[in-house]
Amino acid sequence: MLPAGEEAQITKLLSKYKHMNATRKEVIDVVTNYRSLTYKLQKFVFNDGSSKDLFNLQGTIPVVYKNNTYYIPICIWLMDTHPMNAPICYVKPTPTMQIKVSMYVDHNGRIYLPYLHDWQPHSSDLLSLIQIMIVVFGDFPPVYSKPKDQVAPYPTSGYIPPAGPNASSTSGGSYNLPYPTSGGSFPPYPPASGNSFGGFPPYPAPGNVMPATTSGPSSGYPPYMNYPPGAGYNSGYNPSNTSSTGTITEEHIKASLMSAVEDKIRRRLQEKVNQYQAEIDTLNRTKQELVEGSAKIDSIISRMEREQIDLQKNINILRDKEEELEKSLESLESSDGIDPDEAVTTTAPLYRQLLNAYAEEAATEDAIYYLGEALRSSVIDLETFLRHVRQLSRKQFMYRALMQKCRQKAGLAG
């Protein structure tokens, strides 16, 4: 757990970030697990010349390389939209270190990882990023020691400080920690006294590195990378094969050069294999996305074809209905007129009698209604109203009785 003061300081530095709570949680997790990393708010200059105050984490992370623990100085810049955008990561070598360019680190120290390339806002986080850096740098160290003729010598005691959280300075600016040198890369050779092959310099003793330039024919070879040897590494040297004069024979030089070239080719080949494998994985993911997209497109096309067929059927139906309407309009326009009595026909005389009785009963009902309205308006007197209502009521009763009897005969009474 971080002290409350540090959490408040982190919150203050992240106050202008769009997703402050999520970014604050990730930063606290990283600082809690890696106490050698410190945090600052500094100005970051982009490639287009623009600058912005961004939060960064800088310090060292422990990397295990060939059973030894080393400390790699890094700097992680968080965008103000974090975690929606991936952070920008750099290796920051000290004056005694030099960047080793690889598929993961360029000559400026910029770090390129598949995890950064495929950054997912809701699943990727800083703690996982640092752990992936530790694993990758354990296979491909991003820095190595400069030759001793260029910088002050490293300690040769072979002491490796523990990879604990208090092993490095919390300032993140100085890393007085050992990193792989060429010490022990090749077994010691006898001194070059009496060497008949004066054009070839003697092999370095443990703790030394090959000089950058030599005056002999071997000056065309670059200095060997300062990596510690792997387990079981064989340089081809056998002390029992040296001559009694203690000189290096041509066989020794040939075997050592072949071993060095083989090791270098093996490393280059492994780098290419890893690079091509990463490209293949990316292409496979792209292929999978394209296949899924093709399936979706095929489904959409099939649905559109079905909808087009249905639409064409509906269009044909509408055209048929339109033709029917046009024919009906023509027949209506050409006819002389419509007889209301002939407009409604029945299928049997019983149904016609029922229809006529219903019409008479409805007319009687209307007549009684309008007689009431006339009485209310004083158009007729009460005696006249009662006389006509009595007559109409008798008719209405007869019509209703006739309707009931017709319904019973027709089987419609319920």
Side-chain angles (χ1 to χ4, degrees), residues 304-376:
M304 292 181 65
E305 290 177 351
R306 291 194 300 269
E307 292 178 355
Q308 184 179 7
I309 293 173
D310 295 340
L311 183 61
Q312 188 64 39
K313 290 181 180 179
N314 293 332
I315 290 174
N316 294 333
I317 293 173
L318 288 175
R319 287 177 178 174
D320 294 340
K321 296 297 182 181
E322 184 180 6
E323 291 177 358
E324 292 180 4
L325 289 174
E326 289 178 353
K327 291 179 180 179
S328 299
L329 289 174
E330 290 177 357
S331 62
L332 289 174
E333 290 175 354
S334 60
S335 62
D336 297 335
I338 299 176
D339 185 5
D341 294 333
E342 300 296 333
V344 180
T345 58
T346 59
T347 58
L350 180 62
Y351 295 148
R352 175 174 290 277
Q353 188 177 10
L354 177 62
L355 179 62
N356 292 334
Y358 176 78
E360 293 291 344
E361 190 273 337
T364 303
E365 184 73 24
D366 292 342
I368 293 173
Y369 169 78
Y370 283 109
L371 283 174
E373 290 296 320
L375 177 63
R376 186 179 299 107

Side-chain angles (χ1 to χ4, degrees), residues 357 361 365 395-405:
E361 190 273 337
E365 184 73 24
K395 289 183 180 181
Q396 186 178 33
F397 175 79
M398 295 303 294
Y399 290 140
R400 287 183 178 179
L402 181 60
M403 288 170 56
Q404 185 67 22
K405 193 170 183 178

Side-chain angles (χ1 to χ4, degrees), residues 104-120:
Y104 300 113
V105 180
D106 63 11
H107 65 282
N108 292 323
R110 176 77 178 269
I111 299 174
Y112 299 91
L113 294 172
Y115 190 79
L116 289 171
H117 183 267
D118 300 329
W119 182 270
Q120 300 295 328

